[in-house]
């Protein structure tokens, strides 16, 4: 977000700060993958970007979400597949990238790797 990486929050206050930073805006989620084919150790590395728009949230909504356990084990303090889905306006890109593994891109890269 604006050049900052939003990792997993260490406190509920950090979670609230992260949610406050992304609410009402669009941010990018990046997931990186490296494949290593054995035994020849050929590698393929790629990153996938998905843009996520978050609806504006009230201070009460932010506080309620951030005070739960939900954001504590998630980069950016939210899981798109959980209760935070109520605040997602739209996504541009592969949904699975936001969840944590860009399955479509991974499948295409695996096919290419296996054919080479």
């Amino acid at each position: 977000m604006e050049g900052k990486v939003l990792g997993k929050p260490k406190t509920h206050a950090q979670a609230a700060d992260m949610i406050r930073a992304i609410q009402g805006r669009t941010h990018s989620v990046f997931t990186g993958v490296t494949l290593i084919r054995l035994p020849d150790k050929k590698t393929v590395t790629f990153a996938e970007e998905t843009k996520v728009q978050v609806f504006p949230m009230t201070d009460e909504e932010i506080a309620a979400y951030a005070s739960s356990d939900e954001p504590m084990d998630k980069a950016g303090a939210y899981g798109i597949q959980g209760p935070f889905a109520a605040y997602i306006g739209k996504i541009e890109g592969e949904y699975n990238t936001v969840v944590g593994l860009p399955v479509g891109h991974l499948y295409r890269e695996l096919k290419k790797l296996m054919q080479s």
Side-chain angles (χ1 to χ4, degrees), residues 18-32:
M18 288 181 190
I19 297 301
R20 199 172 290 107
I22 64 172
Q23 64 86 29
R25 306 174 73 179
T26 298
H27 64 281
S28 293
V29 175
F30 294 91
T31 298

Side-chain angles (χ1 to χ4, degrees), residues 3-44:
K4 291 184 193 174
V5 174
L6 300 180
K8 295 178 182 180
K10 292 181 174 56
T11 66
H12 292 282
Q14 280 184 341
D17 289 344
M18 288 181 190
I19 297 301
R20 199 172 290 107
I22 64 172
Q23 64 86 29
R25 306 174 73 179
T26 298
H27 64 281
S28 293
V29 175
F30 294 91
T31 298
V33 177
T34 295
L35 304 171
I36 303 171
R37 183 176 66 192
L38 299 175
D40 65 355
K41 298 184 182 174
K42 180 176 181 177
T43 62
V44 174

Side-chain angles (χ1 to χ4, degrees), residues 47-65:
E48 187 77 18
E49 176 185 15
T50 295
K51 294 183 183 220
V52 180
Q53 177 195 36
V54 179
F55 286 128
M57 297 171 68
T58 66
D59 289 339
E60 292 79 18
E61 289 169 327
I62 294 169
Y65 182 79

